[in-house]
Amino acid sequence: MNIKEAQQAEAYADDDLTPGSKQSMRGTDADARDMQVMGKVQELNRNFRFISILGFSCTAMSTWEITLSSSTFGLINGGLSGLVWGYFIVWCGYFTVFASIAELASMMPTAGGQYHWVSELSPKSCQKFLSYIVGWLSALGWQTGYASIAFIAGTLIQGLIVLNDQSYVFQRWHGTLLVIAITAFSILFNTFLAKRLPLVEGLVLILHILGFFGVLIPLWVLAPRNSADAVFENFVNSGGWSSTGLSVMVGMLTTVYGMLGADSAVHMSEEIRDASIVLPRATMWALFINGGCGFIMMITYAFTLGDPLAALGSPTGYPVIAGFFYATRSHAGTSVMIAIIIVNTTSSCISTLATVSRQTWSFARDGGLPFSSFIGHIKPGWNIPLNAVLLTFLCTTLLSLINIGSTVAFNAICSMATNALLSTYIISLSCLVLRRIRGPPLQPRRWSLGMFGLPINVAALMFSTWIWVFCFFPQTTPVKASTMNWNIVINAGIMIIAVVYYFVKGKNRYVAPVVLVKRDV
């Protein structure tokens, strides 16, 4: 018996049911069986239930808040009509992606998520290598994605200052300090208040929904209306593309970014009670609630924004701030409405930090990262991946320093989050489709797509690949150095580093999850 097997045997031999005991930590019998089958030791507390993990999923995505905050891309490419119809198309496409991920999460409810799924589903000849690459993509994607969300929250605060104080000069280092402050605030909830995180997420779900109505109602009551033709039929090509259709597709990245994170709750699998059924249900409900709120808000935004070109030229840096001021004609009213978005986006940072740290910890647990033994350590008594949480704080701080020198460079690096996470979906879905076609049969699951599994998986793969391609497009043409989308260069560079590290050290240190799996248990 090896060390991991001995630890696992010890973990499930204890029948003590007191809070904090090993038996209590492992959750239900189904949770214990899943962990045993996957060859993992239960090290985290299973404190999340359906409502708390639903709140976690909704706030981690924060679809209506993030979509409003990042509407610049869609307004330039597609205009108001492009935003509305692009949102609807992306939302429908994401249903297939979320459904596929929900089924995978029911088969293999592990904090590793995509890299574990690929390890079990891919052909034996490439299981270890593909799994390793997906692990790197997921870890880097979530690390840079967190920095991007914290940056939005920080610069929204700066935009509010510009709105209320015309003498304020927008300084990049101010934004960096705000990013660090928001991250430090998120660290508090993921360390000292970690045991209360499920309660916090349930409360934040209420805030997320109340905030939606707190913004929606003033817009409908106070704002002048654009015509229905302007909202539903007037597509705009301000990006200089060869056709309006191409411009609209490029502008869909606004919604893609707002709905990114289908796997956010997946990486909390080992902290969810009865994860194999609760997680997929919460994942689908999160898409329905977030997507529905986002669609209603997007239509409202299109009707009440006023002149998109005027909003794009706002000195605040955010069209949404200009749009709210146009609607309310009040500095106080605009400040309150934007403050709601800032609070909810900061709540998203709390949830996203938990996701990032769990994914990073899980990959380190399998030896996939440098200094894995340190990153994968669980602090006794806390039962949280403290070192992975602090590593995320360090990474975000270092990334935010880039903003002092160049916001363009910072955004270029953080934009890899979209490509990296979509890449993990594409590889996972490809392996799943191949497994359905070639066999052997898929792993048992409690939440299944049934006879519709293969067509839904294929649709999800096609959709993910389609939007992944457009993630490499620049915002406008002709392209120059300052407007170039450097995603392709950054992604290629990161992948070269990952592959080199794999053959130098990772190949010998990384333990592919499939090696530990015991499906006959």
Side-chain angles (χ1 to χ4, degrees):
M1 180 181 291
N2 60 33
I3 295 176
K4 283 186 177 291
E5 289 173 332
Q7 289 176 331
Q8 180 178 313
E10 179 186 353
Y12 296 112
D14 192 349
D15 289 328
D16 183 11
L17 296 174
T18 58
S21 67
K22 293 174 182 177
Q23 185 76 3
S24 175
M25 285 171 58
R26 78 177 188 176
T28 65
D29 289 341
D31 293 323
R33 183 171 57 253
D34 287 335
M35 292 295 285
Q36 190 174 7
V37 166
M38 292 184 293
K40 302 298 183 185
V41 176
Q42 183 68 49
E43 299 180 85
L44 309 177
N45 292 323
R46 290 189 180 271
N47 294 327
F48 283 88
R49 305 296 191 269
F50 176 77
I51 293 297
S52 53
I53 200 62
L54 175 62
F56 182 97
S57 299
C58 288
T59 55
M61 292 169 62
S62 290
T63 300
W64 70 264
E65 299 94 335
I66 298 297
T67 304
L68 287 180
S69 302
S70 58
S71 60
T72 299
F73 217 103
L75 289 174
I76 293 174
N77 293 289
L80 299 178
S81 300
L83 279 175
V84 171
W85 291 112
Y87 186 101
F88 181 73
I89 293 171
V90 171
W91 185 26
C92 292
Y94 260 121
F95 264 109
T96 64
V97 176
F98 273 65
S100 299
I101 286 178
E103 187 176 37
L104 284 166
S106 186
M107 294 181 204
M108 297 162 276
T110 168
Q114 294 94 305
Y115 84 85
H116 182 109
W117 303 339
V118 169
S119 181
E120 284 207 57
L121 296 174
S122 59
K124 289 185 179 181
S125 59
C126 56
Q127 281 177 332
K128 188 171 186 176
F129 178 73
L130 268 186
S131 171
Y132 180 83
I133 294 300
V134 169
W136 265 81
L137 285 169
S138 188
L140 292 170
W142 275 112
Q143 289 288 348
T144 54
Y146 176 82
S148 179
I149 297 172
F151 181 77
I152 288 176
T155 50
L156 274 172
I157 296 173
Q158 284 187 283
L160 267 189
I161 298 174
V162 171
L163 177 70
N164 291 282
D165 181 5
Q166 295 183 357
S167 65
Y168 173 73
V169 179
F170 206 103
Q171 298 286 349
R172 289 194 295 268
W173 66 270
H174 293 174
T176 292
L177 289 179
L178 286 168
V179 168
I180 295 173
I182 289 168
T183 305
F185 180 74
S186 302
I187 291 287
L188 175 67
F189 282 90
N190 280 275
T191 51
F192 297 107
L193 300 177
K195 292 183 179 179
R196 301 293 182 185
L197 188 58
L199 174 62
V200 170
E201 295 296 347
L203 295 175
V204 168
L205 175 61
I206 298 173
L207 183 63
H208 176 67
I209 296 174
L210 291 179
F212 167 76
F213 289 104
V215 171
L216 185 77
I217 293 173
L219 289 177
W220 277 115
V221 171
L222 300 174
R225 305 284 195 276
N226 288 322
S227 67
D229 290 346
V231 171
F232 295 110
E233 298 180 14
N234 187 19
F235 296 93
V236 174
N237 178 9
S238 299
W241 297 100
S242 58
S243 68
T244 301
L246 178 58
S247 180
V248 170
M249 287 189 281
V250 173
M252 286 183 185
L253 293 183
T254 287
T255 308
V256 169
Y257 184 58
M259 290 190 184
L260 193 67
D263 59 314
S264 57
V266 167
H267 303 294
M268 304 298 293
S269 294
E270 295 174 36
E271 294 168 73
I272 302 172
R273 187 173 181 82
D274 212 11
S276 59
I277 189 64
V278 168
L279 176 57
R281 287 175 178 172
T283 298
M284 296 308 297
W285 272 105
L287 178 62
F288 179 76
I289 294 172
N290 263 21
C293 288
F295 190 47
I296 294 171
M297 186 63 75
M298 187 54 62
I299 293 175
T300 301
Y301 184 58
F303 268 107
T304 61
L305 179 63
D307 183 5
L309 292 179
L312 285 169
S314 170
T316 64
Y318 282 95
V320 65
I321 297 180
F324 285 2
F325 185 71
Y326 171 77
T328 63
R329 300 298 177 184
S330 165
H331 287 84
T334 301
S335 297
V336 170
M337 293 166 71
I338 294 298
I340 291 173
I341 295 180
I342 292 172
V343 169
N344 286 353
T345 306
T346 302
S347 300
S348 175
C349 290
I350 296 172
S351 303
T352 304
L353 179 62
T355 291
V356 177
S357 60
R358 270 58 171 185
Q359 198 285 328
T360 304
W361 161 75
S362 180
F363 195 44
R365 175 177 60 179
D366 289 325
L369 295 172
F371 310 107
S372 285
S373 59
F374 173 79
I375 299 171
H377 176 69
I378 296 293
K379 184 174 176 62
W382 289 46
N383 295 341
I384 59 171
L386 180 61
N387 293 346
V389 170
L390 297 178
L391 175 64
T392 302
F393 176 72
L394 177 62
C395 289
T396 302
T397 300
L398 294 176
L399 285 172
S400 68
L401 294 177
I402 298 172
N403 178 59
I404 297 176
S406 170
T407 300
V408 173
F410 174 82
N411 287 331
I413 293 173
C414 289
S415 64
M416 80 163 286
T418 306
N419 302 91
L421 292 180
L422 285 173
S423 296
T424 67
Y425 301 165
I426 291 169
I427 297 173
S428 300
L429 291 168
S430 298
C431 293
L432 178 59
V433 169
L434 187 63
R435 180 70 170 266
R436 283 189 185 277
I437 295 174
R438 296 175 55 183
L442 291 173
Q443 293 83 341
R445 61 271 193 199
R446 299 165 67 192
W447 194 93
S448 174
L449 294 174
M451 61 183 295
F452 301 104
L454 182 58
I456 289 176
N457 296 156
V458 171
L461 178 59
M462 294 174 63
F463 171 75
S464 299
T465 305
W466 172 55
I467 59 178
W468 178 82
V469 170
F470 284 101
C471 286
F472 293 104
F473 278 56
Q475 194 175 72
T476 60
T477 59
V479 180
K480 53 185 179 180
S482 60
T483 61
M484 172 67 180
N485 186 339
W486 295 98
N487 251 330
I488 188 69
V489 178
I490 295 171
N491 275 265
I494 293 296
M495 283 299 94
I496 290 172
I497 294 172
V499 171
V500 170
Y501 183 80
Y502 174 79
F503 286 106
V504 173
K505 286 188 176 181
K507 187 176 182 179
N508 297 322
R509 295 183 179 182
Y510 177 57
V511 180
V514 70
V515 175
L516 304 175
V517 171
K518 300 177 179 66
R519 287 288 167 191
D520 58 339
V521 174

